[in-house]
């Protein structure tokens, strides 16, 4: 199994993102759902993915929450996506990440405390420091520079191009 830095070269602190890109395309996942996709959500034998959570931002803090509309669902797992996920898992073991549920703010009642208790899932993609991916950072420093590099959106201005030298990975 490759180390977090070994797969991208010496000195790199980023993890490549083939699994979420293919998951977004092949499974129809929203961004937060792809960031919250865990090993325990994938049933390779039944060829299905259970969409049970997303990584959500509340203010500036991350938490796990139900998918949009508070609706869990099952989606078919195409063989091409299953292959990509298996390859990703071979290179990068899923990482246990613990976040509060639904709201990261301190609970004010025992019922809130029980509902918001931290939960741990084995996420398929994380930041280099094994934390959940912040969608704002990802959009600004990975996704938009990749779109600009591909010519989908206008090129980024001046120094922004140099700042985004590791497109396709999350620092």
């Amino acid at each position: 199994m490759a180390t977090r830095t070994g797969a991208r070269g010496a000195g790199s602190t980023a993890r490549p993102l083939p699994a979420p890109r293919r998951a977004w395309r092949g499974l129809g996942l929203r961004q937060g759902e792809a960031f919250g996709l865990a090993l325990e959500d994938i049933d390779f034998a039944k060829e299905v993915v259970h969409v049970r959570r997303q990584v959500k931002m509340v203010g500036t803090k991350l938490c796990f929450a139900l998918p949009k509309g508070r609706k869990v669902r099952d989606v078919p797992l195409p063989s091409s996506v299953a292959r990509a996920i298996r390859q990703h898992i071979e290179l990068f073991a899923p990482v246990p990440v613990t976040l509060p549920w639904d709201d990261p703010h301190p609970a004010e009642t025992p019922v809130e405390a029980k509902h918001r208790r931290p939960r741990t899932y084995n996420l398929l993609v994380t930041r280099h420091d094994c934390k959940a991916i912040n969608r704002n950072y990802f959009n600004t420093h990975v996704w938009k520079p990749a779109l600009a590099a591909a010519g989908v959106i206008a090129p980024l201005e001046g120094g922004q191009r140099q700042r985004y030298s590791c497109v396709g990975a999350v620092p």
Side-chain angles (χ1 to χ4, degrees):
M1 184 166 301
T3 65
R4 296 213 189 307
T5 57
R8 298 294 281 181
S12 173
T13 59
R15 292 184 75 181
L17 294 171
R21 281 185 278 188
R22 289 219 174 92
W24 291 337
R25 247 189 345 239
L27 300 174
L29 299 182
R30 294 176 178 92
Q31 188 179 53
E33 295 168 347
F35 292 157
L37 189 62
L39 182 60
E40 51 267 36
D41 300 325
I42 302 167
D43 188 334
F44 290 104
K46 292 183 180 176
E47 299 177 332
V48 68
V49 172
H50 308 288
V51 182
R52 300 172 175 149
R53 84 194 63 75
Q54 65 175 319
V55 173
K56 175 174 103 169
M57 289 192 69
V58 176
T60 59
K61 298 184 182 219
L62 298 178
C63 62
F64 290 123
L66 289 172
K68 185 175 180 180
R70 305 187 70 78
K71 297 178 183 174
V72 298
R73 65 188 188 283
D74 291 344
V75 295
L77 177 61
S79 59
S80 60
V81 175
R83 267 192 313 278
I85 292 172
R86 280 191 175 111
Q87 290 170 350
H88 181 81
I89 291 169
E90 285 177 17
L91 290 173
F92 302 98
V95 176
V97 173
T98 303
L99 291 173
W101 185 262
D102 205 37
D103 190 336
H105 298 105
E108 296 180 10
T109 68
V111 172
E112 282 182 355
K114 183 177 179 182
H115 176 73
R116 295 179 187 177
R117 77 183 189 288
R119 300 171 194 200
T120 302
Y121 300 101
N122 297 302
L123 299 186
L124 295 184
V125 294
T126 62
R127 296 178 355 174
H128 70 91
D129 55 359
C130 299
K131 294 181 181 179
I133 297 172
N134 174 319
R135 68 179 158 93
N136 287 342
Y137 185 90
F138 178 84
N139 289 339
T140 302
H141 299 285
V142 178
W143 189 244
K144 287 188 179 181
L147 292 175
V152 176
I153 62 174
L156 301 171
E157 298 297 321
Q160 287 180 313
R161 281 191 205 105
Q162 295 165 350
R163 196 169 78 198
Y164 305 130
S165 63
C166 193
V167 173
V170 177

